[in-house]
């Protein structure tokens, strides 16, 4: 079952929004600076895996500079993180679309 949630990384004033699969791995991730609500990342596991399998390191580097780096490993214990909360699929989709547009890509 897919879940959507957010956590807050206080040291960076950064909101992290995740879409996670039934095993707790991030399928998509959006990061937004708290101070100015500016998106700084919007990475997708499907895109990362496609680049890994079909493109070279240069393409992966370009992707990471444009969209950021996707969390690796299961996101266990997210509920214990500061300001953690489940969010709706609709809220995540809105954030995803806004972040991808701001970072110069399609949703």
């Amino acid at each position: 079952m897919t879940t959507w949630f957010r956590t807050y990384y206080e040291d960076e004033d950064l909101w992290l929004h995740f879409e996670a699969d039934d095993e707790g791995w991030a399928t998509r991730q959006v990061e937004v600076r708290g101070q100015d609500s500016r998106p700084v990342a919007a990475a997708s596991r499907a895109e990362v895996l496609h680049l890994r399998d079909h493109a070279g390191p240069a393409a992966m580097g370009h992707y990471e500079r444009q969209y950021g780096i996707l969390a690796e490993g299961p996101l266990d214990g997210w509920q214990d993180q500061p300001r953690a909360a489940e969010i709706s699929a609709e809220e995540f989709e809105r954030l995803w679309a806004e972040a991808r547009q701001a970072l110069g890509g399609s949703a």
Side-chain angles (χ1 to χ4, degrees):
M1 174 195 225
T2 301
T3 57
W4 298 269
F5 60 90
R6 70 170 188 227
T7 62
Y8 182 67
Y9 187 54
E10 189 171 3
D11 292 345
E12 300 287 328
D13 189 23
L14 192 65
W15 285 98
L16 295 94
H17 303 84
F18 295 97
E19 175 184 75
D21 66 16
D22 57 349
E23 294 179 2
W25 289 71
T27 54
R28 292 188 293 170
Q29 176 177 340
V30 175
E31 298 176 9
V32 178
R33 289 261 177 254
Q35 182 177 18
D36 57 7
S37 298
R38 183 177 61 91
V40 295
S44 160
R45 181 171 65 192
E47 293 170 348
V48 168
L49 293 176
H50 178 79
L51 287 171
R52 182 196 70 190
D53 295 342
H54 302 288
M60 183 63 80
H62 174 74
Y63 181 88
E64 289 177 349
R65 285 188 299 279
Q66 184 170 1
Y67 298 116
I69 298 173
L70 186 68
E72 294 182 17
L75 301 169
D76 298 334
W78 66 265
Q79 301 90 335
D80 301 326
Q81 298 301 313
R83 302 188 198 177
E86 284 193 44
I87 61 174
S88 68
E90 294 79 15
E91 181 178 357
F92 185 88
E93 291 301 333
R94 179 187 57 76
L95 289 164
W96 176 259
E98 289 173 2
R100 290 304 284 243
Q101 183 177 17
L103 296 171
S106 59

